[in-house]
Amino acid sequence: MTGRLILRLGAIGLAAAIAVPAAAQEERDEPRRTRVALGPQFVPSYPGSDEIVVRPLFDISRADAGEEFQFEAPDESFGFALLRRDGFSLGPSAGLEGKRSSSDVGGLPEVGFTVELGGFAQFEASENIRLRAEARQGVTGHEGFISLLSADYILRDGDEHLLSFGSRMTITDSNYQNAYFGILPADATPGLPAFDADGGVQSVGATIGYIRQFTPRWGIYSYVKYDRLVADPADSPVVAAFGSRNQFAGGIALTYTFGSTVE
């Protein structure tokens, strides 16, 4: 009798041991939601330009079934969190910057298409406030360092409406600033005197983002952004002759959500 009881208890324990991982696996295998946004955006053709060009606006977000999509500012770079704890997140980030042709700036040197690699750190101070810092190094093109500091205030009703607005500051080193705003003595002309940019704060501004879900599947994703060049970039002869201290951007995209929907 005792032996049979032991066998039964053992069988129950084995079944429980199998059932728990199976249940956890089923929970992990629940369908996730994926929201994809695609549309046009209008941005300066290069830093400091007064010409607006059209480029693709693309975003992809994922959330567990029944959970809200995590807030992402519309002007932040591509990245994903490797570490999350107590409101803090850390992870890699990557950015792209378009080419500046020599013909855009009266024959000054070209700045090639740039890939920027680095990382980000952010802190969710509350459900309405998020602070974020990005730091990236150009590995092609301008080959400079760029850092972006942001603070956003977020108002949302689940995924139905999400409005965000916040301040921005861009800090770049002398390599970056001289690539776009500097003029070497060898390239100087009577209308474009030599100019050496020291690096530091490049611009300050603000961004507003708005997401609206019309149905569980379809919605819109939009933003507007304004930056004002300051310090050496604002004083650059390149900006005075071919660009503008005022930098505007904006975009609108249609969104579609795959997977299960929030109840």
Side-chain angles (χ1 to χ4, degrees):
M1 185 70 175
T2 304
R4 290 180 182 177
L5 180 60
I6 292 173
L7 288 174
R8 288 177 182 175
L9 292 174
I12 292 171
L14 178 61
I18 295 173
V20 170
Q25 182 65 40
E26 287 179 7
E27 184 177 348
R28 287 196 298 269
D29 289 344
E30 280 189 24
R32 300 188 73 190
R33 295 189 303 142
T34 302
R35 183 179 66 203
V36 178
L38 181 63
Q41 63 177 327
F42 306 87
V43 298
S45 61
Y46 58 86
S49 174
D50 62 355
E51 178 186 358
I52 298 296
V53 296
V54 181
R55 291 179 181 160
L57 173 58
F58 177 76
D59 182 74
I60 183 167
S61 300
R62 302 199 70 193
D64 292 331
E67 297 293 327
E68 297 175 350
F69 287 108
Q70 185 178 8
F71 167 71
E72 297 176 357
D75 58 337
E76 68 186 50
S77 65
F78 170 78
F80 55 91
L82 292 178
L83 173 65
R84 297 183 188 274
R85 184 173 182 180
D86 299 328
F88 283 96
S89 300
L90 296 171
S93 69
L96 302 174
E97 186 58 68
K99 173 183 174 181
R100 186 191 77 176
S101 299
S102 178
S103 59
D104 293 331
V105 285
L108 292 174
E110 173 185 293
V111 182
F113 177 81
T114 304
V115 176
E116 300 166 350
L117 301 178
F120 75 90
Q122 68 182 35
F123 175 57
E124 297 172 6
S126 70
E127 64 178 11
N128 300 111
I129 299 175
R130 193 199 71 168
L131 309 176
R132 181 181 174 98
E134 299 183 18
R136 301 191 301 273
Q137 175 66 42
V139 296
T140 60
H142 62 66
E143 296 184 347
F145 175 84
I146 178 171
S147 177
L148 298 100
L149 308 178
S150 64
D152 285 287
Y153 189 79
I154 306 148
L155 297 171
R156 71 184 302 169
D157 177 12
D159 287 331
E160 295 299 311
H161 300 268
L162 192 155
L163 174 67
S164 65
F165 49 92
S167 58
R168 301 290 186 266
M169 178 181 290
T170 302
I171 302 170
T172 51
D173 69 0
S174 59
N175 287 337
Y176 186 105
Q177 291 195 10
N178 277 313
Y180 293 106
F181 308 110
I183 301 174
L184 293 172
D187 299 319
T189 65
L192 292 172
F195 184 80
D196 182 35
D198 292 333
V201 177
Q202 175 173 309
S203 67
V204 294
T207 297
I208 300 174
Y210 181 63
I211 298 174
R212 172 76 165 92
Q213 201 71 26
F214 295 114
T215 73
R217 299 297 180 194
W218 295 98
I220 60 167
Y221 177 103
S222 59
Y223 82 97
V224 292
K225 180 177 182 179
Y226 170 73
D227 284 317
R228 174 74 174 180
L229 296 180
V230 297
D232 282 353
D235 295 333
S236 167
V238 181
V239 173
F242 306 105
S244 173
R245 295 179 179 179
N246 299 307
Q247 303 281 282
F248 295 94
I252 185 167
L254 189 65
T255 69
Y256 185 81
T257 301
F258 299 88
S260 60
T261 58
V262 177
E263 298 295 333

